[in-house]
């Protein structure tokens, strides 16, 4: 999954339940805030914008909110295994250990979003009938 932001519609909170396999969610600075623009306009790579990763373990609930929601992009590399280490910053909250390599399997993610603006519009449209 390419780095993206979930956008203003669901702000400030999106939650995800991971079932089956774990995955690793990577966070990036957006292009406009990544680095000061160089005069020669060399494109900034994804690697340069990379900030940190979170391990999402099976049966975990991940809550994306506030600063991490608003100011960073998130994405998932299509890797088949994950060598945990310095880049995964939530390992002290996980069952997995820093020196482990985890094989990725099939993962089902249930994402729960609250969309108050769509609800208001639906009610408004309903009133006219
Ligand atoms: O599967 C996930 O944990 C992330 C899904 C996601 O980023 C999205 O649906 O916007
Ligand atoms: Fe997302």
């Amino acid at each position: 999954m390419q780095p993206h932001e979930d956008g203003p519609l669901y702000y400030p909170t999106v939650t995800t339940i991971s079932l089956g396999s774990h995955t690793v969610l990577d966070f990036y600075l957006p292009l406009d805030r990544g680095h000061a623009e160089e005069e020669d306009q060399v494109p900034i790579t994804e690697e340069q914008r990379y900030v940190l990763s979170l391990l999402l373990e099976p049966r975990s609930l991940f809550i994306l909110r506030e600063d991490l929601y608003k100011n960073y992009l998130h994405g998932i590399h299509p890797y088949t295994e994950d060598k945990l280490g310095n880049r995964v910053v939530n390992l002290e909250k996980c069952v997995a250990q820093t020196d482990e390599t985890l094989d990725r399997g099939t993962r089902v993610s249930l994402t729960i979003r609250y969309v108050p603006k769509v609800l208001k519009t639906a009610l408004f449209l309903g009133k006219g009938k």
Side-chain angles (χ1 to χ4, degrees):
M1 186 194 313
Q2 288 296 320
H4 64 278
E5 48 189 354
D6 286 358
L9 202 54
Y10 320 116
Y11 182 80
T13 310
V14 168
T15 58
T16 303
I17 296 169
S18 296
L19 299 174
S21 178
H22 77 281
T23 198
V24 172
L25 194 59
D26 304 309
F27 288 84
Y28 304 85
L29 285 169
L31 265 177
D32 53 350
R33 272 165 280 167
H35 295 262
E37 288 293 318
E38 302 286 333
E39 274 185 9
D40 55 7
Q41 295 288 312
V42 177
I44 295 158
T45 65
E46 196 174 283
E47 205 182 328
Q48 288 170 309
R49 290 157 56 212
Y50 171 81
V51 180
L52 58 84
S53 299
L54 294 174
L55 174 63
L56 307 188
E57 293 192 295
R59 294 183 288 143
S60 66
L61 173 72
F62 170 61
I63 303 173
L64 176 63
R65 60 192 307 266
E66 301 294 349
D67 182 49
L68 209 52
Y69 187 124
K70 205 167 43 181
N71 297 320
Y72 298 87
L73 308 184
H74 54 276
I76 299 175
H77 275 289
Y79 296 147
T80 54
E81 61 172 37
D82 296 291
K83 208 172 188 319
L84 305 179
N86 297 337
R87 292 194 146 195
V88 177
V89 301
N90 65 328
L91 283 177
E92 77 280 3
K93 304 259 191 275
C94 294
V95 177
Q97 304 290 312
T98 314
D99 55 0
E100 271 187 86
T101 299
L102 302 179
D103 288 330
R104 281 195 201 178
T106 301
R107 171 174 177 263
V108 174
S109 79
L110 304 176
T111 302
I112 302 142
R113 297 182 164 102
Y114 177 52
V115 195
K117 281 184 185 151
V118 169
L119 192 62
K120 263 188 203 155
T121 308
L123 287 174
F124 175 74
L125 290 175
K127 261 189 192 171
K129 288 184 182 160

